Amino acid sequence: MLDKHQGARLANLWDDGKAAGMTEPEKLLYRSNLLGSDKRITNYGGGNTSAKVMEKDPLTGEMVEVLWVKGSGGDVGTIKMDGFSTLYMDKLRALKGIYRGVEFEDEMVGYLPHCTFNLNPRAASIDTPLHAYVPKPHVDHMHPDAIIAIAASKNSRELTSKIFGDEIGWLPWKRPGYELGLWLEKFCQENPDARGVVLESHGLFTWGDTAKEAYETTIEIINRAIAWFETENTGPAFGGRSKPVLAAADRAAIAKKLMPVIRGLVSAGESKVGHFDDSQAVLDFVTSTSLEPLAALGTSCPDHFLRTKIRPLVVDFDPAQPDVGNTLAGLPEAIATYRADYAAYYERCKRADSPAMRDPNAVVYLVPGVGMITFAKDKATARISAEFYVNAINVMRGASGVSTYVGLPEQEAFDIEYWLLEEAKLQRMPKPKSLAGRIALVTGGAGGIGKATANRLMQEGACVVLADIDETALEAAQTELSTRYGKDFVRSVNMNVTSEAAVESGFGDALLAFGGLDILVSNAGLATSAAVEDTTLALWNKNMDILATGYFLVSREAFRIFRKQKAGGNVVFVASKNGLAASPGASAYCTAKAAEIHLARCLALEGASAQIRVNVVNPDAVLRGSKIWTGEWKEQRAAAYKMDVDELEAHYRERSMLKLSVFPEDIAEAIYFLASDMSAKSTGNIVNVDAGNAQSFTR
Ligand SMILES: [Zn+2]
């Protein structure tokens, strides 16, 4: 997406008509959302905006100057009014009187809450002094790729003055914080006519007397940088191509082979979710002569490497002579080496009060000729990390084309990564949900039990692939679940579980979407009813195909992935009371369900040594939302009991020992239990969820 825009100018989207009736805080919100809507202007969560506004003090009733500035942890593109913190400017200025110097700058963060205006609960960010002390009413701080490319060039000061003259100043690298705020103030006092400043290895500050002027200055300055690169950076990207690009289908095939193996190797501490990106910007980089040397330098903008780790891991793969077997065999050592290097970096740079070393695994994996794989604690983080590395690639492309690209000095990078303020932010994060980082595939995922199961697993933080043959229902289920839990967490695949090819390709799509698999819920089903003498061979085979063969095929594929990941695995079969208890007039169905249950036991035995658990949930008479309970089967059952179809639910309820109806959510709860670590020591089990039925008591 980014590369499509490469070279194109940013449009000025300011609409006077829209802005006319807005208050200053509303104009700030408007400008922020406009700026953040384009990733070339700033990366996700990166940068911040502010306005100094006169407001009525709620205590004294007097008009006071208030700083409205993006609060901690937000994103300017999606921020809403409550994402801004508000602080008294006079109190912020008074902080200068208690500042003890740069070595104590972190303690200033603790004073910011004392400056809060109007009890605003939004925490002020570390960047607040940067906005407070720029003596201008409206200030933008952005991380544009084109500006960071200048800021990360060896001669960035010289380039800045060459491109912008006196209009835009330059400040050497300084970690964002109180001291940098004072630097910015001093710069503005000494350069009253400057419209902004480039921060080395970091980004851009611009300002204006009105919200519109600030916005237009930001756009204009970034456009000038883009235009300059267009004329200056005319050589081949990254010094030219040294490796071929594989065809799209081959790239996907390689990624599907690598992802579960990498995932298994890096998920020991916490389960991780993967993301694959083979966009043009990535391909240009991973086929270039500069791949290894540039990747080794690490990223520059602090925002970039906080998300991507100090540097990526370049996977040993030769697209000219693809031998993925060799690559896979080398991965354990390559990943162990990365971890050892990371630990050495931690040891070299740590300070007396540094937090303990965090996960030493790489986030970004670059595969020559194939693309980029990222792994993080959830899908959104993996996707955003990939977006950040694309930003970093754009920066390296620009900087190395006109100068020499320089990463942030190692100690500076470490001090940001292990900043106590950053650690405090991490400590404040809510505890991960019980299935965070887990990946599940649910067959029959668009139906009653399947969708309820997906919903339950997603509630616990799992990523889910819905597999079904009903396209329309599948689309509706995916829309419903992604609206509830976010697009990152759900995918769908059209899968006929009786087709070997469809099962293999569906699981392949799941691998490409999330990088692995932890949980298979085999739930696709049907139900038929006929006296044995009326049971056609076709009807018999249909039951066997879906309920026995179908369960075999999806389990076999899941086992193959589990074995590659070497991280255990979890299979839950949705069987039926009828797999244990004989029922007249449904011999094909009952026999196939019995085969299914016995298959689960065999697989439990076979998978145990690899920590693969296989369990069964036996529902009975789940009528609501079920597709097998529509049409014929319902009528056949009603006819068999000589009653109206509307009376069936009551009939089943009265038939049960507990006199309760069984709903899809009840089955989903049992599946969640078996799929989670709560049942870590159970395998080969059957849980009946049937409101009590003596016939299906296991023995
Ligand atoms: Zn910044």
Side-chain angles (χ1 to χ4, degrees), residues 47 127 141 143 176 202:
D127 284 0
H141 166 49
H143 294 164
H202 184 166

Side-chain angles (χ1 to χ4, degrees), residues 46-48 127 130 141-143 176 199 202-203 205 301-303:
N48 25 57
D127 284 0
L130 282 56
H141 166 49
M142 297 287 120
H143 294 164
L199 304 181
H202 184 166
F205 261 86
C301 178
D303 253 19

Side-chain angles (χ1 to χ4, degrees), residues 7 37 64 112 133 175 262 276 404 427 469 491 599:
S37 65
V64 289
L112 293 177
Y133 296 148
R175 193 173 74 177
I262 296 174
F276 177 60
T404 302
Q427 296 299 336
I469 43 169
R491 296 286 184 276
L599 173 63

Side-chain angles (χ1 to χ4, degrees), residues 231-268:
T231 45
E232 294 296 315
N233 199 4
T234 49
F238 302 110
R241 181 165 283 177
S242 66
K243 305 164 188 76
V245 180
L246 297 184
D250 296 332
R251 299 199 295 269
I254 300 288
K256 284 175 204 171
K257 289 196 169 97
L258 296 178
M259 288 174 89
V261 177
I262 296 174
R263 180 169 188 258
L265 290 166
V266 302
S267 288

Side-chain angles (χ1 to χ4, degrees), residues 44 273 378-381 383-384 433 438 454-455 457-466 475-492 513-514:
Y44 178 82
V273 183
D378 57 49
K379 177 69 184 183
T381 310
R383 174 181 56 75
I384 292 166
K433 294 178 180 168
R438 308 287 171 90
N455 182 66
L457 301 180
M458 290 175 77
Q459 225 172 51
E460 294 299 329
C463 294
V464 173
V465 179
L466 305 168
E475 222 183 287
Q478 185 178 359
T479 307
E480 183 187 326
L481 292 167
S482 62
T483 308
R484 200 172 302 148
Y485 299 104
K487 277 187 182 144
D488 283 310
F489 286 88
V490 59
R491 296 286 184 276
S492 62
F514 294 125

Side-chain angles (χ1 to χ4, degrees), residues 318-398:
D318 182 2
Q321 286 164 310
D323 178 359
V324 75
N326 235 339
T327 303
L328 290 171
L331 277 175
E333 202 194 320
I335 286 171
T337 304
Y338 185 96
R339 281 199 283 254
D341 287 349
Y342 184 86
Y345 148 78
Y346 177 83
E347 288 301 323
R348 264 197 313 278
C349 301
K350 74 171 178 193
R351 297 181 187 271
D353 57 351
S354 289
M357 187 177 83
R358 303 201 191 102
D359 181 10
N361 289 296
V363 172
V364 179
Y365 301 79
L366 299 172
V367 190
V370 174
M372 164 170 66
I373 294 164
T374 47
F375 274 103
K377 65 182 166 71
D378 57 49
K379 177 69 184 183
T381 310
R383 174 181 56 75
I384 292 166
S385 300
E387 287 174 11
F388 273 72
Y389 202 75
V390 170
N391 285 124
I393 286 173
N394 292 338
V395 165
M396 290 187 282
R397 181 177 187 152

